[in-house]
Structure formats: C-alpha cells, structure tokens
Amino acid sequence: MLRSLSISSIFAVMTLAVFPAYAQDVAAGEKTFKKCVACHDIGADAKNKVGPALTGVIGRTAGTYAGFKYGSDLVAAGEKGLVWTEEKLAEYLEDPKQFLRDYLGDTGASTKMSFKLKDETARADVAAFLAAQHEATNAPAPSDTAGEVAKVDEPAMSVEDVIAAQEFSEAFLSDPANVEAGKEIWFAQCTHCHGFKAYPGKAPKLKPAKYKPTFVFKRVYKGFKKMPAWKDTYSVDEIRQIVAYVKSPEFSP
C-alpha cells in the first residue's frame, strides 16, 4: 500500500501534520480587529487607550509597553519571560485570564483584559494582522516620489458638522436592509460592552425608546466618557445603520 503513494501525496500528508488546517488571513484579521479598537490603538502614531497600543507587539515582552499600567499578572508573565509571538497572542486571545493562570501556575489573574475570542481561525487571523502591522511600521521609508502628482486633501467636515447634518426619516429607520446591516455590526462589536454579552458593570443597559435617532448617532460617532468614538472605525453610513437597528422593534439590548 505504501508503494502506491506518490511523492506528492506523502508530501501533502506531511504538510498537514506540520501546518494548521487554516491559512492565516490578514484581511480577515483586520476586520476582526475592529472588535478590539475600543480598547487598543495601532499604527505609527498609536496611543494607549483602555488597553496598551499594539504597534510592534510581536516580539515585545509582555507587560512592558511604555506609559501603560498593566495588571500585575501580565507584568509577572513578562518578568518570567513571556514574549509575544503570533502563536502566543492567539492563545492569549482565547481566554486572557486562563492563559495567565496556566503560564504563571496561579489560581488568580489580574489582567485587565476580559475580552475572549473563541474562534481559532479568527484568533490566528488577528495575530497575523498585528504581525503585518508590525512589519509595515518597520518597513523602509518610501523611495523618492518626485514626479508624482501632488494630492490636495479636500477640507473635512468637523465632528459637530457631521453630527448636525444627520437626519433620519421613517423610511430609512424602517428599511429592513438598514436594520439588518446595523444588527450585524451591533452583534459583532457593541454587545461586548452592552447587552447580554457584556461583562458586568462595563456599560449600562440601553433604553432606546428614550433616545432620539440623532442622539444615538452622536454617541456612536463621537463617543462618550469611556466609550470610544467609532467614527474612525465605521463609516457614517454604517453608524446610521447602527442607529436604525437600535431604534428598531427587534433591537435586543
């Protein structure tokens, strides 16, 4: 029977034994990372938010990003030698507290991060996205761009102007396509802080019957207190669709 196996078949079996059954998808990881931007910033000018900036996290010792106050367990893990790799990040994202319990051999974990990403493929994709951002940030500067046509940015509307420009007709709010699109975003992002999936005490339960559509748009677009401004993550149209879902009869806070 072994003689009947071709060299390519044997190589395929060996490949499956070595590599995961899924391919890491940076684009999918970027989409999933939208769930993280409430707490984490990334990019060349990233700043600490509720969580530390994640620029350059691959290769970083855990609990060491400048200016951020970590939980004691994450600091202890770094002192013990934990350095973030794609694989370690993917493990951590499944259950941060349990990851640190296992790593430190401790029954308690004081990490501030409660978010869990249960899907294995999604975790690998997010880790790949963070690695790609790390590589892009450390890439050589672009070559001389002489001869290119200079681009002139059009004046952008201010936050207050965008908010003031919003009008919500009954037709828009009741359009099933808008409600469904808003619902998809809500369950992908918003329920981590609001509603039945929220961690206790993280955000108040919403009472949409008391809110005008323009009020909901303002809160989502601009942010409020610990709630981030989602204007840098979702388009105006997407935020309007969130409003349509929140104001719909099928909204489930």
Side-chain angles (χ1 to χ4, degrees):
M1 180 177 179
L2 288 176
R3 291 179 180 177
S4 66
L5 289 174
S6 66
I7 296 297
S8 60
S9 298
I10 295 173
F11 179 77
V13 172
M14 293 175 63
T15 300
L16 288 173
V18 174
F19 295 101
Y22 51 82
Q24 294 160 342
D25 187 331
V26 173
E30 181 177 12
K31 184 176 180 180
T32 302
F33 187 75
K34 287 185 176 182
K35 297 180 180 181
C36 310
V37 296
C39 298
H40 296 282
D41 197 6
I42 193 166
D45 300 318
K47 297 179 176 60
N48 290 329
K49 299 166 72 174
V50 177
L54 295 180
T55 306
V57 67
I58 301 298
R60 180 192 303 166
T61 299
T64 61
Y65 192 77
F68 185 78
K69 187 175 182 180
Y70 290 88
S72 59
D73 281 3
L74 204 51
V75 173
E79 292 173 346
K80 188 176 178 180
L82 176 60
V83 175
W84 293 123
T85 63
E86 287 187 54
E87 292 75 17
K88 288 297 183 184
L89 275 174
E91 291 177 30
Y92 178 73
L93 288 171
E94 182 177 10
D95 187 335
K97 291 183 183 295
Q98 188 59 52
F99 174 90
L100 290 175
R101 290 189 189 103
D102 294 341
Y103 191 85
L104 296 171
D106 194 359
T107 57
S110 61
T111 177
K112 298 177 181 180
M113 183 165 165
S114 300
F115 176 78
K116 300 175 184 178
L117 189 57
K118 290 298 185 180
D119 185 86
E120 183 179 12
T121 302
R123 294 197 304 272
D125 290 344
V126 169
F129 167 69
L130 292 173
Q133 297 306 299
H134 172 75
E135 292 165 3
T137 301
N138 291 283
S143 59
D144 185 14
T145 57
E148 292 187 1
V149 177
K151 295 182 179 179
V152 179
D153 294 332
E154 296 181 359
M157 293 178 67
S158 70
V159 170
E160 298 303 330
D161 285 343
V162 173
I163 293 171
Q166 301 310 308
E167 295 181 0
F168 292 90
S169 66
E170 185 58 37
F172 177 88
L173 294 172
S174 61
D175 186 329
N178 292 329
V179 173
E180 186 60 31
K183 181 178 180 179
E184 183 178 349
I185 297 172
W186 175 269
F187 278 93
Q189 181 65 65
C190 307
T191 51
H192 294 297
C193 292
H194 295 283
F196 70 95
K197 285 170 58 179
Y199 305 110
K202 195 161 187 179
K205 185 174 181 178
L206 299 183
K207 300 177 181 178
K210 296 184 177 181
Y211 311 144
K212 292 182 178 180
T214 50
F215 173 83
V216 179
F217 181 90
K218 178 180 179 180
R219 283 286 189 263
V220 178
Y221 187 81
K222 186 178 181 179
F224 180 71
K225 293 184 177 179
K226 292 184 178 181
M227 177 179 169
W230 290 107
K231 62 182 177 63
D232 296 325
T233 303
Y234 296 109
S235 68
V236 169
D237 287 341
E238 288 174 322
I239 294 175
R240 286 174 60 84
Q241 290 168 335
I242 294 173
V243 174
Y245 173 61
V246 170
K247 292 299 295 179
S248 74
E250 64 177 277
F251 177 69
S252 178

